[in-house]
Amino acid sequence: MQPDVWELEVGSGVRGLRVNTPTILDVSFSFTVRATDCGARLGQFETPHGTVHTPAFMPVGTQGAVKATLFRDVEELGAEIILGNTYHLYLRPGDELIARRGGLHRFIGWSRPILTDSGGFQVFSLAERRVIREEGAEFQSHLDGSRHLLTPERAVDIQARLGSDIAMVLDECLSYPATRDDAAASMQRSLRWAGRCRDRLIMLRTSPGPGDVTGTNPGQAQFGIVQGGTFQDLRDESVDATVAIGFEGYAIGGLSVGEPIDTMYSVVDATARRLPESQPRYLMGAGTPEDLVECVARGIDMFDCVMPTRNARNGQLFTSEGRINIKNARYAEDDRPLDPRCGCYTCRHHSRAYLRHLYMAGEMSAGALNTLHNLSFYLDTMRRIRDAIVFRTFNDFRQEFLRSVSRLPSDA
Ligand SMILES: [Zn+2]
């Protein structure tokens, strides 16, 4: 039976749903580029849970929590969107349990936008605990050894239950280095999986069938992912075919996996140029503060990375004068704040000497205070980038930023 799309629209909150090619679902998502400067784009996107100003950095909330911090603080630092990991949430506490709690936003108490990954990256990282075939990725849980099959369709279903504002397609994540043949085969498989993910999302919206999936965010958008390793012709092919399927935004995946930094920048540059100007571009899993600035210069709008939070817990701190390793004995009697130019709670209240003491004593507040600072540094960098684009001074900002962050102590 043909689904009655227009009738479904009334109750679903989905506006102007189209099922014919191009298969763009006009969800509660829109993106506007407001200004450009030297390759950098200033924009914003609207989601069912609010607006995100771009270029944006998304703190990683792996298990429904940004590690060692509270959402109150993440919000106060100005994060407008966070990332949730589908793999972790699916295994524990489970996507169905979260759907019964009303979806991820309500469950974790974060009312701003959320992007979820597809779970693919974590599954591929399981190495000997997973087998990839055309149907999907079969893997063994790192928690209890139980066996699971993550197909493109299941990745869509799980994220529909979580109810994130942006869901990612399941893609095959290739390790580096890869041969051209392997990269080509993997990119082609990712394309087939992307098509299946889009079909599944359209089906969930238009004709929920037997084994009904209870979605918790009818306005959820879906992003495609460009693959192709470090081979630009494969990247180009991937861009064209992914855009032909049609998504609300596009990510560049498979980078920041050990390739030389210049290679990453040149792939980002050429790939971003080929993507539609009117839609957001998300560079997955990158990177250092320098990477953010350099990739904004190449037209990227969104970033996520565990670096600020993970490094904070290991005592590595980003400052406007380079990186600091707070374990270093040289800070034992250093009364200065971590970063004299930072206005975060940690820098306003505590000295390097105290933070070093907390770290050495294994106090939990060491992780909390360090995380607060690193997140503040990343989010503040994005704010300064956006301001620079507004005032058409992005290039000056970029030069000055690269000069100052590489001015070491950098004893990290
Ligand atoms: Zn600070």
Side-chain angles (χ1 to χ4, degrees):
M1 199 185 84
Q2 279 297 104
D4 187 343
V5 174
W6 303 106
E7 192 180 298
L8 217 138
E9 234 187 277
V10 176
S12 67
V14 180
R15 297 192 309 261
L17 192 60
R18 294 196 302 272
V19 287
N20 298 323
T21 21
T23 47
I24 301 281
L25 280 173
D26 189 5
V27 295
S28 311
F29 184 91
S30 63
F31 177 67
T32 319
V33 178
R34 312 202 78 91
T36 58
D37 184 27
C38 302
R41 295 153 37 111
L42 179 82
Q44 66 187 65
F45 58 82
E46 313 295 331
T47 78
H49 290 87
T51 304
V52 176
H53 294 88
T54 61
F57 178 78
M58 302 182 278
V60 177
T62 305
Q63 312 206 56
V66 177
K67 285 189 197 300
T69 185
L70 304 177
F71 284 129
R72 179 192 65 197
D73 297 331
V74 177
E75 212 173 293
E76 265 175 27
L77 291 174
E80 292 181 323
I81 179 168
I82 58 166
L83 180 143
N85 284 125
T86 290
Y87 169 85
H88 292 281
L89 296 168
Y90 159 74
L91 288 179
R92 182 175 60 191
D95 49 306
E96 293 187 1
L97 181 146
I98 292 174
R100 288 194 295 273
R101 310 274 82 68
L104 189 57
H105 292 87
R106 191 176 295 178
F107 178 57
I108 68 175
W110 169 262
S111 58
R112 293 181 179 182
I114 300 177
L115 177 147
T116 44
D117 64 10
S118 67
F121 186 77
Q122 269 82 23
V123 169
F124 284 92
S125 312
L126 292 171
E128 73 282 0
R129 286 168 162 264
R130 49 89 171 157
V131 184
I132 313 300
R133 46 178 200 264
E134 188 62 25
E135 188 187 3
E138 194 181 331
F139 66 96
Q140 243 185 318
S141 160
H142 73 288
L143 296 173
D144 60 6
S146 55
R147 293 192 169 278
H148 304 263
L149 179 65
L150 184 67
T151 63
E153 291 79 11
R154 285 207 83 183
V156 172
D157 293 354
I158 295 167
Q159 293 178 84
R161 292 192 189 98
L162 297 176
S164 52
D165 299 282
I166 300 171
M168 301 302 299
V169 298
L170 182 67
D171 60 334
E172 183 170 341
C173 307
L174 202 60
S175 52
Y176 178 85
T179 65
R180 195 180 185 289
D181 285 352
D182 286 349
S186 171
M187 181 272 284
Q188 294 292 350
R189 174 173 281 165
S190 287
L191 282 177
R192 292 190 295 274
W193 284 5
R196 284 168 59 187
C197 284
R198 194 61 177 178
D199 288 348
R200 181 65 176 189
L201 183 73
I202 292 168
M203 203 210 78
L204 290 186
R205 294 282 169 76
T206 54
S207 54
D212 203 359
V213 175
T214 310
T216 55
N217 184 351
Q220 185 180 58
Q222 188 183 48
F223 279 20
I225 304 176
V226 173
Q227 288 288 351
T230 53
F231 304 93
Q232 195 54 50
D233 60 320
L234 298 180
R235 288 273 170 188
D236 290 350
E237 194 183 332
S238 178
V239 168
D240 295 349
T242 309
V243 171
I245 296 170
F247 295 93
E248 282 73 47
Y250 298 92
I252 302 175
L255 289 178
S256 215
V257 290
E259 73 282 359
I261 195 72
D262 291 344
T263 306
M264 176 176 119
Y265 290 166
S266 73
V267 172
V268 167
D269 189 44
T271 307
R273 277 173 202 279
R274 205 175 176 93
L275 284 165
E277 277 186 16
S278 58
Q279 289 176 280
R281 305 164 183 161
Y282 161 30
L283 177 61
M284 303 182 82
T288 63
E290 299 92 305
D291 291 342
L292 303 187
V293 174
E294 284 305 293
C295 293
V296 164
R298 289 163 174 81
I300 298 297
D301 308 301
M302 300 163 67
F303 301 88
D304 79 282
C305 191
V306 294
M307 200 174 263
T309 41
R310 180 180 291 166
N311 288 22
R313 300 194 302 281
N314 295 325
Q316 293 187 325
L317 299 151
F318 296 96
T319 80
S320 59
E321 297 174 345
R323 299 185 195 185
I324 282 181
N325 190 334
I326 203 66
K327 282 172 275 193
N328 199 310
R330 77 164 82 167
Y331 301 118
E333 299 196 46
D334 190 336
D335 294 326
R336 292 174 296 170
L338 278 176
D339 185 347
R341 291 179 58 182
C342 178
C344 84
Y345 177 87
T346 305
C347 291
R348 279 187 284 115
H349 291 87
H350 303 301
S351 64
R352 296 176 183 184
Y354 178 60
L355 293 170
R356 178 176 189 275
H357 158 70
L358 291 179
Y359 186 89
M360 301 309 282
E363 278 295 328
M364 283 201 273
S365 58
L369 290 166
N370 291 347
T371 300
L372 206 61
H373 168 77
N374 271 0
L375 276 181
S376 172
F377 183 79
Y378 266 64
L379 292 164
D380 193 53
T381 298
M382 302 316 288
R383 224 175 346 251
R384 290 167 64 205
I385 287 173
R386 292 194 297 268
D387 287 348
I389 303 172
V390 170
F391 293 109
R392 302 269 191 269
T393 54
F394 178 72
N395 213 27
D396 293 343
F397 167 81
R398 178 184 175 189
Q399 303 306 332
E400 173 54 29
F401 186 84
L402 296 180
R403 255 197 310 274
S404 64
V405 294
S406 57
R407 192 195 316 147
L408 307 181
S410 264
D411 50 12

